[in-house]
């Protein structure tokens, strides 16, 4: 049955009201105590369907991705959310779907946002892609315009794990992309595949002339580092140093100071073993590979990370805040020069997928899986 314009408007209003009501769920109001005595107040801003990433806009609103393929514009102040049109089709399943979202460093001038996601080719093989688009709020609602793909994992392969595809801009304006090994192991050491690497590009997807592996082939010109497994956290510290974390196989998760041109050893070395129980040589057996600054046995299953630079937690300045999936925790890691150690752990009772710094210095997290909440964490008063 055809509807007139007024019918369409009423339907749209109903959808927006329903979405807003979902986002208006009662705050959690929980107090969470850390292992070192910190006490956090947790406030909920609604639940999502497999949320994966978020980023703050200059006005304090957020963009939040859901793995099945929806991008939301979320207003914490109004406790509302609206779907964003123009999101690319994603290959949903396993660890694949819509992934990270970040802003261009000059977003207020150009309106550019960057998305990562899994895509599928005609043969059914999959790989990660990164696209950029201009974000606009128009009379019909928020939308992405002029979307263009600027990077892809090569080659596409079978399976639906270890895309990684976390994004971050460095202090010099270059775009860094974590590219997982896609559970194929050996490509992490290959110069002819960009799996198992950290990628460094210009903001438009072109290759910077000072990348470290320009003499290793066309694809290798994009590499910043190699020998990685599944990197689900990336952040720069106050000194401009790049940190990434990655899931180990069976235990042996890593936090790495990720240095230009270095090899991090996967799959030749690890502090974990294969899921079958078959051992992998430890890092100290192969000193030519860069060993992690910190590792975890048993696993925490790290996901999401910030280097805290806010004002609400003065004692946390310069520390890494890492989400834990299997550990269902939030983990605080001290970074002081070459000294890196875990200093506090918060039992969140839910898998934590994403961590972000709010404009007022609060720590925001997304819980994992269907029904995962958007939480704002502040010091208990």
């Amino acid at each position: 049955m055809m509807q007139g314009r007024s019918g369409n408007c009423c339907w749209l209003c109903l959808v927006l009201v329903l979405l807003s009501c979902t986002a208006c769920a009662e705050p959690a109001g929980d107090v969470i105590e850390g292992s070192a005595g910190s006490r956090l107040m947790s406030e909920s801003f609604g639940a999502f369907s497999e949320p994966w990433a978020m980023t703050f806009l200059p006005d304090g609103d957020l963009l939040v991705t859901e793995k099945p393929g929806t991008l939301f514009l979320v207003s914490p102040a109004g406790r509302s959310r609206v779907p964003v049109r123009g999101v690319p089709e994603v290959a949903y399943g396993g660890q694949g779907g819509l992934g990270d979202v970040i802003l261009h460093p000059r977003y207020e001038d150009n309106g550019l946002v960057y998305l990562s996601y899994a895509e599928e080719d005609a043969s059914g093989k999959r790989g990660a892609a990164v696209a950029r688009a201009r974000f606009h709020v128009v009379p019909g609602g928020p939308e992405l315009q002029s979307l263009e793909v600027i990077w892809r994992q090569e080659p596409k392969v079978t399976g639906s794990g270890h895309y990684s595809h976390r994004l971050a801009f460095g202090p010099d304006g270059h775009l860094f992309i974590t590219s997982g090994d896609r559970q194929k192991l050996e490509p992490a050491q290959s110069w002819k595949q960009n799996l198992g690497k950290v990628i460094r590009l210009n903001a438009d997807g072109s290759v910077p002339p000072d990348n470290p592996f320009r003499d290793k082939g066309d694809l290798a010109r994009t590499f910043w580092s190699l020998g990685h497994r599944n990197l689900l956290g990336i952040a720069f510290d106050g000194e401009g140093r790049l940190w990434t974390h990655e899931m180990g196989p069976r235990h042996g998760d890593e936090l790495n100071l990720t240095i230009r041109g270095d090899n991090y050893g996967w799959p030749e070395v690890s502090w974990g073993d294969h899921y079958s129980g078959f051992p992998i040589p430890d890092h100290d057996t192969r000193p030519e590979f860069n060993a992690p600054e910190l590792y975890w046995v048993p696993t925490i299953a790290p996901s999401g990370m910030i280097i805290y630079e806010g004002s609400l937690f003065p004692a946390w300045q310069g520390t890494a805040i890492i989400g834990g999936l299997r550990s269902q925790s939030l983990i605080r890691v001290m970074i002081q020069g070459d000294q890196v150690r875990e200093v506090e752990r918060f039992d969140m009772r839910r898998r934590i997928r994403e961590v972000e710094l709010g404009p007022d210095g609060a720590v925001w997290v997304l819980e994992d899986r269907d029904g995962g909440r958007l939480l704002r964490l502040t010091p208990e008063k």
Side-chain angles (χ1 to χ4, degrees), residues 144-161:
L144 301 178
Q145 299 177 355
S146 305
L147 186 137
E148 60 173 335
V149 176
I150 62 170
W151 178 83
R152 285 185 163 99
Q153 282 183 328
E154 298 181 33
K156 286 184 170 60
V157 297
T158 57
S160 57

Side-chain angles (χ1 to χ4, degrees), residues 166-168 170 174-178 198-200 224 234 236 242:
R166 283 287 185 184
L167 310 174
H174 290 106
L175 174 65
F176 288 76
I177 306 167
T178 69
V198 173
I199 306 299
R200 179 178 182 255
W224 177 257
I234 182 170
F236 285 86
L242 175 61

Side-chain angles (χ1 to χ4, degrees), residues 58 103-113 133-136:
L103 306 183
H104 189 283
R106 297 195 305 278
Y107 170 82
E108 292 186 88
D109 298 325
N110 58 33
L112 286 173
V113 300
R134 284 184 166 81
F135 177 72
H136 292 280

Side-chain angles (χ1 to χ4, degrees), residues 5-231:
R5 184 174 179 181
S6 61
N8 287 331
C9 290
C10 290
W11 177 86
L12 177 60
C13 291
L14 177 61
V15 170
L16 295 180
V17 168
L18 290 173
L19 289 170
S20 297
C21 289
T22 303
C24 288
E26 287 296 317
D30 296 330
V31 175
I32 305 167
E33 185 168 357
S35 58
S38 300
R39 292 174 62 88
L40 308 178
M41 177 62 70
S42 169
E43 181 181 4
S44 173
F45 288 82
F48 293 79
S49 175
E50 299 183 68
W52 210 91
M54 59 180 157
T55 194
F56 278 90
L57 296 168
D59 63 1
D61 287 350
L62 299 99
L63 295 174
V64 177
T65 67
E66 292 181 333
K67 196 169 72 171
T70 306
L71 176 67
F72 283 106
L73 174 62
V74 177
S75 171
R79 293 188 175 272
S80 65
R81 72 182 71 172
V82 182
V84 178
R85 299 191 305 272
V87 178
E89 181 180 354
V90 305
Y92 171 65
Q95 296 176 16
L98 186 58
D100 213 352
V101 56
I102 64 171
L103 306 183
H104 189 283
R106 297 195 305 278
Y107 170 82
E108 292 186 88
D109 298 325
N110 58 33
L112 286 173
V113 300
Y114 291 71
L115 296 170
S116 68
Y117 57 97
E119 61 177 7
E120 185 173 276
D121 66 14
S123 71
K125 294 181 178 180
R126 297 181 174 188
V130 174
R132 68 174 186 171
R134 284 184 166 81
F135 177 72
H136 292 280
V137 179
V138 296
E143 66 180 16
L144 301 178
Q145 299 177 355
S146 305
L147 186 137
E148 60 173 335
V149 176
I150 62 170
W151 178 83
R152 285 185 163 99
Q153 282 183 328
E154 298 181 33
K156 286 184 170 60
V157 297
T158 57
S160 57
H162 292 196
Y163 296 97
S164 295
H165 59 36
R166 283 287 185 184
L167 310 174
F169 275 99
D172 58 1
H174 290 106
L175 174 65
F176 288 76
I177 306 167
T178 69
S179 178
D181 75 340
R182 297 287 281 111
Q183 297 178 307
K184 305 303 181 185
L185 285 76
E186 285 77 13
Q189 294 293 328
S190 171
W191 298 112
K192 297 181 179 179
Q193 302 184 44
N194 62 14
L195 312 181
K197 312 298 193 303
V198 173
I199 306 299
R200 179 178 182 255
L201 302 174
N202 293 318
D204 62 359
S206 60
V207 181
D210 58 343
N211 274 1
F213 300 116
R214 296 192 63 85
D215 61 344
K216 297 291 187 179
D218 287 344
L219 198 59
R221 294 186 307 123
T222 66
F223 302 170
W224 177 257
S225 59
L226 69 156
H228 299 286
R229 187 175 182 268
N230 189 22
L231 311 99

Side-chain angles (χ1 to χ4, degrees), residues 190-337:
S190 171
W191 298 112
K192 297 181 179 179
Q193 302 184 44
N194 62 14
L195 312 181
K197 312 298 193 303
V198 173
I199 306 299
R200 179 178 182 255
L201 302 174
N202 293 318
D204 62 359
S206 60
V207 181
D210 58 343
N211 274 1
F213 300 116
R214 296 192 63 85
D215 61 344
K216 297 291 187 179
D218 287 344
L219 198 59
R221 294 186 307 123
T222 66
F223 302 170
W224 177 257
S225 59
L226 69 156
H228 299 286
R229 187 175 182 268
N230 189 22
L231 311 99
L232 293 175
I234 182 170
F236 285 86
D237 66 19
E239 299 177 20
R241 301 183 300 176
L242 175 61
W243 295 86
T244 61
H245 65 56
E246 58 189 86
M247 289 192 183
R250 185 179 180 185
H251 310 300
D253 306 323
E254 299 182 2
L255 176 62
N256 286 299
L257 177 58
T258 311
I259 298 170
R260 178 187 189 275
D262 274 9
N263 188 331
Y264 289 79
W266 179 255
E268 303 300 324
V269 292
S270 173
W271 288 117
D273 292 322
H274 291 292
Y275 289 116
S276 65
F278 191 80
I280 303 171
D282 291 342
H283 272 279
D284 55 12
T285 67
R286 299 287 299 273
E288 70 270 28
F289 296 128
N290 194 321
E293 274 61 40
L294 182 64
Y295 67 93
W296 286 270
V297 176
T299 181
I300 60 168
S303 185
M305 175 172 64
I306 60 170
I307 308 295
Y308 188 81
E309 296 176 349
S311 58
L312 283 185
F313 299 91
W316 292 13
Q317 286 288 330
T319 61
I321 313 296
I322 299 172
L325 293 168
R326 185 170 179 178
S327 58
Q328 298 188 356
S329 60
L330 198 65
I331 295 141
R332 189 162 65 89
V333 174
M334 183 196 73
I335 301 174
Q336 291 182 337

